[in-house]
Amino acid sequence: MSASDEELPKLLGDCVHCGFCLPTCPTYVLWGEEMDSPRGRIHLMQQHAEGAPLSESMVGHFDACLGCMACVTACPSGVQYDRLIEHTRAEVESEHPRPLRERALREAIFALFPYPRRLRALRGPLRLYQRARLDELVRRTGLLERISPSLAAMERLAPPLGKAPRLPERVAARGGRRATVGMLTGCVQREFFPGVNAATARVLALEGCDVVIPRTQGCCGALSLHSGREDEAKEFARRTIEAFEAVDVIVVNAAGCGSSMKEYAALLAGDPAWARRAEALSARTRDLAEYLVELGPRAERRPLPVTVAYHDACHLAHAQGVRSQPRALLAGIPGLTVREITDPDVCCGSAGVYNLLQPEAAGELGDRKAGHVRGTGAELLVAANPGCAMQIATALRRQGAEIAVAHTAEVLDASLRGLGRGALITDAP
Amino acid sequence: MTEKVTRLAERLAVLLGPDAVITDPVRLRTYECDGLTNHRARPALVVLPDDGAQIAQIVRACVAAGVPYVARGSGTGLSGGALPRTDGVLIVTSRLRRILEIDIANQRAVVEPGVINLDVTRAVRPHGYYFAPDPSSQQICSVGGNVAENSGGAHCLKYGFTAHHVLSCEVVTPDGEVVELSADGPGYDLLGVFVGAEGTLGIATKVTVRLTRVPQTVQTLLAAFGSIEGGGTAVSAIIAAGVVPAAIEMMDALSIEAAEASVACGYPPGAGAVLIVELDGPQAEVEHQFAQVKALCEEAGAFEIRVAADDAARALIWKGRKSAFAAVGRISPAYLVQDGVIPRTSLPRVLARIDELSAESGVRVANVFHAGDGNLHPLVLFDDAEPGAAERAEGVSGAILDLCIEHGGSITGEHGVGVDKARYMPRMFTAADLDTMQMVRCGFDPAGLCNPGKIFPTPRLCGEVPGVRKGVHPLVEQGKADLF
Amino acid sequence: MKALEAVCADVRPAASGDALVAAPASVEEAAAVLRVAAEHGLAVIARGGGGRLGWGPPPSRRDLFVDTRNLDRVVEHAAGDLVVKVQAGLRMDRLAAVLAESGQRLALDAPLPAATVGGTIATGAAGPLRHLYGTPRDLVIGLTIVRADGEIARSGGKVVKNVAGYDLGRLFSGSFGTLGLIVEAAFRLHPVPAVREYLTAVYADADAAHEAVQAVLHSPAAPSAVECATIPDGIAVGVLLEGATGRAAQVLPLLGQGARVGDAAPEWWGRYPEGAVLIEVTGKPTALPDFLRAAPNLTWSACGHGYVGLAGETTPAQVADLLVALRRIGGAVVRSAPAQIRDAVDVWGPIPALSLMRRVKDQFDPEHRLSPGRFVGGI
């Protein structure tokens, strides 16, 4: 995905310095500094391209970027900041020596998140995580302290849908098959939000899809790709392509995963053995909401009298341009009211592993977003990305305001199955 | 960094805290230009104050050290008004972004200078109000920048410029004093000259803006013409009919092509020009005049007229226009944005001449303009990789300004003079005109430290601060001036 | 006098006998007159219609009146561009007549019918239309002045949209002849509306009147003017609607019962209040009820500007007390008053940025020869 060196001058030159990206950039919103805006970062990239070394301060500004891609949406000149920052991150990883502690933290993260089984070890009372032999590393870096509040919040705030069964390899369509789709289960989604995956499979089946859930699938590589760990990302991509080659459409319910799979074509473009297969996979990847709107509703929607605030996950809204579809799906549920959150374009601070690497900025952004969510007066927060849900729930909890959180799939599931609002919200007695 | 600046940096770090003072050269360079990139200068120092009191401290420290300073808002200006001084301090207001007061009963709001233009509207919209100045960059430009540049926008045809929407300003004068300038207080209307002075007369630290009632109804149409002439005829007819639309905008074929490539606005294919006309106000009034405007466009030969049925359709019509500048980047590797004004009735002649200039030089020119008030924005396209192309483009761009002056117009309608057009000022004004304007500057900033080098091609000698004098003026005595 | 006669055809002694009057007939002549005045160190008073010559403290010196009556041409009326350029001595009513022929107007009321363009700008005069169109500062798009040293200087131009250089048009608006002599001005124009409707209602007390004014201000009525005045029967509120269509019916209910519509202005509309003492008041729109309670005789434009009139027999102490009360609410400046009152009270009130004003004055008129003492802080 990242830009090649030959393309770099052209990609940098696309920026006309108009500044339209500034108000959408989370770090610019926080600090008001040019260097921590997309325009400023592109300027720094230009300086580096002209020979300025990757200094500590320069790297700091690149690291501070959340990769939310709101600037890509805002840019009238079509600057491909996504490619620029990925290229830059790869350069930083290969050229810039990081201090030991920081390196350890990064290693810990990338040794943990892309591996569902290791992640599973972190669930619950953390009894099993020693088994993954990560305990030393995790303790040394303080990673645990950074993740555990989010996890704790999630334990409390996950919708009371009941225990999710382990998904079979195939879920049959109900009421006449309209399509056969593959489903990505994701890493964080699978381990912390199994209910979301179950709901996704049920909704697809109720809408007439045979759902194929290959056992061979692993991490899609999103976190690695968005953090400059390109080789690692490529390896994950190849494995994902192999796992899903047999299906016509791959439906993804996690925004970050969907966007990275759509980027496989560019990521593996230089690899003759894989380029065409990657391109084909990217072309067949759909976000759940995107796919359901394409397919058109068939199953009956039963009333859900709930007021929801819909949160645009960056990797859905900015990276995939999926904004109207989830809103349309939600609005199609009788009795349900959708409220808009102020500054919808500004990231909540989760941004993949950003909340682990840049906890302060992430915390401030989370607080801002939580404030805006509260401002809607909604009872339920709907987000299509597990990271966002964890991030905002944690921030709300810090503010002493808890709100139920659900994925679009869970809301649809509750409507299609006629479970009523109690499935999503615990009403005060 | 010179010794003087190093000491100043240390002093400012003590006053503002180290986080607010940038000295790292790599970081400093990101501030080397605003929205106009062909002038660049790395500031010696960048400071990011948190409030107006800190700005006053900074200015006083600069004055004490004899170091020039420049204020910058969001850095979106198109004339280099916020171009830093390599030997000076850049005071960035991006952290002064609090809306301090919203007073709907009195139709005003008090904001800090770094507040983004559109955020004012967002904050008051629930009350049925908005902030009228709407430059194309309104989603990012700051109110302080609007004050400095006297920003207009597409709707200034009916609603006027920033000067008409600012009631008072708290200002740090060039000598570091904090004063309140207002339009209706006793004495000179210093606010009137401060707004639009491009940051050369001080720094606004609080701005009281007028809020405008959201109109009862808005109607927007897009009319497609085979040629620019048809569009021009329609504009003249609308004005002659006594209609004052909220906005009349025109785009030519080349700029339509660019906008289409950028935002897929779906303008009618084959249009040589499109006209966007927006009317707003009381329902009955708008309906009556809208029918008139439609008929006049048809008479002028519009081959397709689209009426926006709702806000989404209106936004789509405007999207092409509002993105036009940046969109030109899609059809040309590089371009210059020009900003000139002509009397509206000269439009056909001037456009024909621009066509000739373009043909003679082989330089493509896309035209986007606020047709209602004769404000042209020719976009001069060139390939910066081609030797001599930039110079040719500069030549055409300058010739267009000469054309504006020839027709009794102006070298800038809204982008300002800044550093970019200072050299054109003597073509529009006499030496005495410029000298007289600079008397104001000498009154405000005798030391010449506040955004020096902007607007005026040559600074006026302010001499010592004058007082009440009898007899021969010291400048006359020193042989520096003939008569005062 | 000789030196003046050499450069200007119309020079004569002033009626008062202690000064001269020069009435140049061209911009160049005006410049020559001011050059001569500079050479001879004469104190110069600019004079248009003379209606507001008594406003403000009297000049401390007056050697020469420069009368603009011979500078009364329309230089250019570009009807298609909605722009007019005129000389300063042109009367406002004559200008209105010329523009009306093309269905256009300068959207600026002239409270004094004989006022000239130059005098209107120099005093910042406006009437009810200020609500929508502002004051001279908002409508002047180009200004030519003659400086104290006789140099001719121009700012702005003849296009509506123009940000090249400092806007001296705004600086000179309301400067009372203390910075230079205004000789030419260009204005932006507006079409004359097809329909004019005056909605009026009378209220018993200040709060009721204020409520009506607020109701109109916050409605989408888009009035051209919203006025308020104390009249013998109570407090009158008037709303002017202008446009292509009549829309009084929608707005009338906002004024409550007993409101009426007419196509002519009520008799109190756009006049200075009666009285020998005239005080200009400014404040926020919500200052209206307080001003009404504090002042016996008020006219008020809802955007926050008004006048208080007092009878000539009011004592200086009473005026001083009233000024204190008014200045608790907003700004109050004594515009005209008998000498014994004017000399006994603080005419201006607090003047923010006075030192900056002095510095600007010192630049334009370092010898303080232009209407000396007539302006704030003795400028």
Side-chain angles (χ1 to χ4, degrees), chain A residues 199-216:
Chain A
T200 303
R202 275 195 299 268
V203 168
L204 285 167
L206 286 167
E207 286 288 15
C209 301
D210 272 351
V211 186
V212 179
I213 307 163
R215 283 267 152 82
T216 51

Side-chain angles (χ1 to χ4, degrees), chain C residues 147-224:
Chain C
R147 291 191 329 211
D149 61 3
E151 282 284 352
I152 299 166
R154 195 170 53 88
S155 80
K158 55 169 192 171
V159 285
V160 170
K161 204 169 178 185
N162 178 11
V163 292
Y166 291 157
D167 195 323
L168 299 185
R170 291 198 287 268
L171 180 66
F172 272 67
S173 293
S175 65
F176 282 83
T178 59
L179 293 176
L181 176 72
I182 296 168
V183 286
E184 277 180 0
F187 294 97
R188 77 170 292 187
L189 303 173
H190 289 85
V192 173
V195 180
R196 268 202 192 99
E197 296 164 306
Y198 292 89
L199 284 57
T200 51
V202 180
Y203 302 90
D205 64 83
D207 290 326
H210 176 54
E211 221 170 275
V213 167
Q214 282 282 314
V216 175
L217 281 186
H218 298 295
S219 78
S224 295

Side-chain angles (χ1 to χ4, degrees), chain A residues 143-229:
Chain A
L143 179 60
L144 189 58
E145 292 85 78
R146 291 188 192 177
I147 326 177
S148 55
S150 305
L151 292 184
M154 279 332 300
E155 297 283 1
R156 291 164 55 94
L157 293 164
L161 277 172
K163 278 268 172 271
R166 202 102 198 104
L167 288 170
E169 259 193 288
R170 203 171 182 97
V171 180
R174 305 283 174 86
R177 180 162 55 89
R178 290 202 280 171
T180 303
V181 303
M183 177 177 149
L184 183 90
T185 49
C187 308
V188 175
Q189 197 79 291
R190 173 172 155 192
E191 294 313 320
F192 293 109
F193 301 86
V196 173
N197 279 342
T200 303
R202 275 195 299 268
V203 168
L204 285 167
L206 286 167
E207 286 288 15
C209 301
D210 272 351
V211 186
V212 179
I213 307 163
R215 283 267 152 82
T216 51
Q217 65 176 297
C219 176
C220 68
L223 294 183
S224 309
L225 174 62
H226 298 145
S227 306
R229 300 167 71 98

Side-chain angles (χ1 to χ4, degrees), chain B residues 101 103-108 129 149-150 153 156-157 161 163-164 173 175 177 179-181 183-184 186-193 195-198 200-201 213-214 216 239 242 244 282 284-285 288-289 341-345 370 373 375 408-417 425 428-429 432-433 435-437 439-444 446 455-456 460 462 465-469 471 473 483-484, chain C residues 35 38-39 61 78-82 131 137-139 145 147 149 151-168 170-176 178-179 188 190-191 214 217-222 242-247 250 280 282-287 303-305 333 335 348-353 355-364 366-369 375-376 379:
Chain B
E101 190 188 337
D103 180 357
I104 295 297
N106 287 308
Q107 305 182 314
R108 63 193 63 195
Y129 280 84
E149 300 296 315
N150 189 17
C156 65
L157 176 62
F161 314 95
H164 303 123
T173 64
D175 51 2
E177 199 191 334
V179 298
E180 184 79 14
L181 305 183
D184 64 358
Y188 297 130
D189 184 358
L190 297 184
L191 178 68
V193 72
V195 176
E198 307 194 23
T200 60
L201 299 181
R213 183 74 175 75
V214 171
Q216 189 172 29
I239 300 296
V244 183
E285 199 63 19
H288 178 91
Q289 298 198 324
V341 190
I342 51 167
R344 179 175 36 228
T345 45
H370 307 297
D373 40 32
N375 188 187
S410 169
I411 58 170
T412 170
E414 53 187 7
H415 295 174
V417 178
M425 286 291 273
M428 187 167 160
F429 293 107
D433 298 342
D435 189 56
T436 307
M437 290 179 193
M439 286 178 166
V440 180
R441 180 162 166 78
C442 288
F444 272 76
I455 305 180
F456 303 105
R460 179 176 195 267
C462 295
V465 185
V468 182
R469 283 193 193 83
H473 192 278
L483 184 71
F484 263 92
Chain C
R35 262 197 306 277
E39 281 157 19
R61 286 167 62 208
D81 296 321
L82 284 165
H131 177 79
R137 82 191 284 273
D138 301 304
L139 293 161
I145 56 133
R147 291 191 329 211
D149 61 3
E151 282 284 352
I152 299 166
R154 195 170 53 88
S155 80
K158 55 169 192 171
V159 285
V160 170
K161 204 169 178 185
N162 178 11
V163 292
Y166 291 157
D167 195 323
L168 299 185
R170 291 198 287 268
L171 180 66
F172 272 67
S173 293
S175 65
F176 282 83
T178 59
L179 293 176
R188 77 170 292 187
H190 289 85
Q214 282 282 314
L217 281 186
H218 298 295
S219 78
E242 297 181 324
T245 55
R247 49 185 207 277
Q250 290 110 57
E280 191 170 334
T282 51
K284 291 177 177 175
T286 51
C303 53
H305 184 273
V333 170
R335 283 308 184 190
W348 304 106
I351 307 152
S355 67
L356 208 49
M357 292 179 193
R358 287 192 203 284
R359 273 149 53 186
V360 171
K361 164 76 173 178
D362 288 341
Q363 288 288 332
F364 279 84
E367 294 161 347
H368 293 198
R369 288 186 297 99
F375 207 50
V376 293
I379 285 174

Side-chain angles (χ1 to χ4, degrees), chain B residues 62 71 78 89 113 133 145 161 184 214 229 241 255 270 282 287 334 351 366 392 397 403 481:
Chain B
C62 289
L78 293 171
V89 176
F161 314 95
D184 64 358
V214 171
E229 288 71 32
S255 53
E287 275 169 15
L351 289 176
R392 277 204 302 283
S397 189
L403 204 53

